[in-house]
Amino acid sequence: MTMLLTSPAATGLLAGLPADTAAVPVSTDVPGALAAAPLLVALPLLGAAVLLLAGRRSDRWGAWFGVVMSGAAFVVGLVMFLAMLDLPADERVVDQHLVDWIAAGGLDVALGLRIDPLSMTFVLLVTFVGTLIHVYAVAYMEKDPDRRRFFAYLNLFVAAMLVLVLADSYLLLFVGWEGVGLASYLLIGFWNHRRDYAVAAKKAFVMNRVGDIGLIVALMLLFATFGAVDFTTVFAQAPEASTALLTATGLALLLAACGKSAQFPLQAWLGDAMAGPTPVSALIHAATMVTAGVYLVVRSAPIFEGAPTAQLVVVVVGAVTLVFGAVVGCAKDDIKKALAASTMSQIGYMVLAAGLGPIGYAFAIFHLVTHGFFKAGMFLGAGSVMHGMDDQVNMRRFGALSRYMKVTFVTFGLGWLAIIGIPPFSGFWSKDKIIEAAFVPVDGEPWRAWVFGGAALVGAGITAFYMSRLFFMTFAGRRRWNDGSGTADGLRPQDGPVRHPHESPGLMVWPMIVLATGSVALGFVLNLGGRFVTWLEPVTGHAEHHEPVLPVWSLVALTLLLVLVGAALAWRQYAMSSVPIRAPRGRVLTRAARRDLYQDDVNEAVFMRPGQYLTRSLVYADKEMVDGGWLGLAGAVGRVGDRLRGWQNGYVRTYGATMLGGVVVIAAVVLALSTGTGN
């Protein structure tokens, strides 16, 4: 397997195309079907509005209306994609002006959409995978009394993500960015009658606001420097800006990306976000929210390419997070939280690739697309397991479910093979490209290749272990749940509630089958002839081929060896051995991983507790010193007034006595002064 950064097809398509991303030609003439771009946002937004405003009257048909609106957006996106394929490569970046939006002082922002291969890739992923999740949710949420409202939020989520990826300016991107944050808050806390679910939604919302500060700061820096925030102006002028300015802007954008994509150090919210219904988890982790940070970095390539320090920090964050998430995933017994740790790690791979510059942009998006399919499929598979096990999520209470849930077992298994990178499944083609790119030396410094490539390799081995652990604990080995049959498999009738696992209904199964098909074939199809790299080159620019520090064949062999070793260790420990129902205490690292490597403890000690003390001190100072000082002064004036008020009693004799006293005092003073001067 070789790094297909160049190909004859790419040479033909990109004749005359600029080599750098800042100089990509942008057309304002919107051809044919591409003019339908506003419908992509309007359809799911209309679905959300109708379902929210119609109220209970839409309970019977609301779910399917939400499905139709999301599906219609996919059809529009597919038509636009086919129309774009007919265009020459240098005409595939189009800005569609809609209306004049903001004109204030030196700021003039139009409301418009950027239609190009990068945005269209996200459009197809969001709408296709999102529609499958909508269909799945029809059955999954069938008995929920607020199902109509749930689908309204799903439509809102899809619409906000489409605004984010289609925006032609950072300001409109920020609107979609905040819309995604709002929709995630509503969906994570959908069952907010449970306090822990409401707290999880609040945690995700607050941590994302921390990241949003980065995007706001970047907006201010861009406007102060370029007098504009639209992509065309910023990217055209970025090569002329100072390195310090671009570095500051890049780091601010990275902070925003860390918040949305749950990257170190803003990753603590992701595991708790599993509080929402499983379709929400699939949508957040596969097609929408957590991919937004990767999109932001790749879209902002001209800024990062002018800021090598910011690029290096992006790579470091990706490398740290991919290992961090993998270690945490090894100790999670909650099936959804184990998958959440996996998402954190896989997004880390994408961020690492995006930080590598032109050699990694396309591979970051390539892995994002394949990950969207196999991760959505596994989350829906986890929901199917929960459906068949009365909402149980503890994998130590699973085991041997392959006998009872055969379709779920097969579809989940295909996703498992894809994510650990077994050929020819999709993860092999996309993740291995990132590992190869990570081993390419940068700026003549081979140490970077060994450090970041080594992290990517280690992450691949750990991924194989913890994902195999999840798969074997759920579907293989001996059953660890009570079916009421007595002492089978060492269980007594009183060992927990009685479970009767069963396969999920067709509306849940068919989306899983479609996604599993993508897990098998999508990576190979997109990689064939380097077509995906070629497709994105009008946006990411042309990258020359670079050899890694190790031969490609040896990297492939080493990666597969680590994957097989990790899977074999998991098989021996969790499929061939008896898994205790009660988790053992474990070693220091295991206990730390169960607590997410103490990320919440660190946040509490470094930020929350000092913040509470600071807030309490400020409140005390405000009440006791500021308010107390002014109120004390007012009280003193009032008390003096009370004393003086007694002299104003309306009696002539009192006033006469007062005047007499005043005359006496004045006379005494005059006499004293006269005596003192000797007159």
Side-chain angles (χ1 to χ4, degrees), residues 18 56 121 166 174 250 266 338 366 370 380 488 520 555 628 676:
R56 292 295 181 187
T121 298
L166 285 167
F174 182 70
L266 298 178
F366 185 17
T370 60
L380 297 189
V520 174
L555 285 177

Side-chain angles (χ1 to χ4, degrees), residues 445-469:
E445 297 178 339
W447 67 267
R448 293 190 184 185
W450 289 107
V451 171
F452 299 131
L457 268 180
V458 170
I462 302 176
T463 297
F465 174 78
Y466 75 82
M467 289 306 301
S468 299
R469 171 183 181 270

Side-chain angles (χ1 to χ4, degrees), residues 356-445:
L356 294 174
I359 66 171
Y361 295 142
F363 298 151
I365 305 301
F366 185 17
H367 192 51
L368 186 150
V369 172
T370 60
H371 176 267
F373 277 77
F374 57 68
K375 182 52 62 67
M378 286 190 288
F379 263 110
L380 297 189
S384 179
V385 170
M386 292 168 59
H387 179 272
M389 292 290 286
D390 301 324
D391 291 329
Q392 175 67 262
V393 295
N394 186 355
M395 294 185 295
R396 293 186 179 276
R397 289 285 183 173
F398 293 162
L401 291 182
S402 60
R403 310 173 198 169
Y404 307 91
M405 310 178 70
K406 297 187 182 303
V407 177
T408 301
F409 164 65
V410 172
T411 55
F412 196 102
L414 294 175
W416 161 62
L417 293 172
I419 195 173
I420 67 175
I422 296 294
F425 298 94
S426 60
F428 169 76
W429 303 103
S430 58
K431 188 165 67 177
D432 277 35
K433 293 289 188 185
I434 295 176
I435 295 174
E436 293 171 23
F439 271 100
V440 173
V442 179
D443 298 329
E445 297 178 339

Side-chain angles (χ1 to χ4, degrees), residues 525-567:
V525 171
L526 293 181
N527 184 68
L528 190 64
R531 62 179 61 182
F532 191 77
V533 173
T534 302
W535 162 253
L536 286 180
E537 276 180 326
V539 179
T540 59
H542 181 68
E544 295 298 329
H545 176 73
H546 297 278
E547 290 292 339
V549 294
L550 292 175
V552 173
W553 67 265
S554 64
L555 285 177
V556 174
L558 183 57
T559 303
L560 284 176
L561 177 62
L562 289 174
V563 166
L564 293 175
V565 168

Side-chain angles (χ1 to χ4, degrees), residues 252-268:
L253 292 172
L254 175 61
L255 177 63
C258 287
K260 274 290 181 288
S261 292
Q263 297 296 283
F264 183 85
L266 298 178
Q267 78 285 4

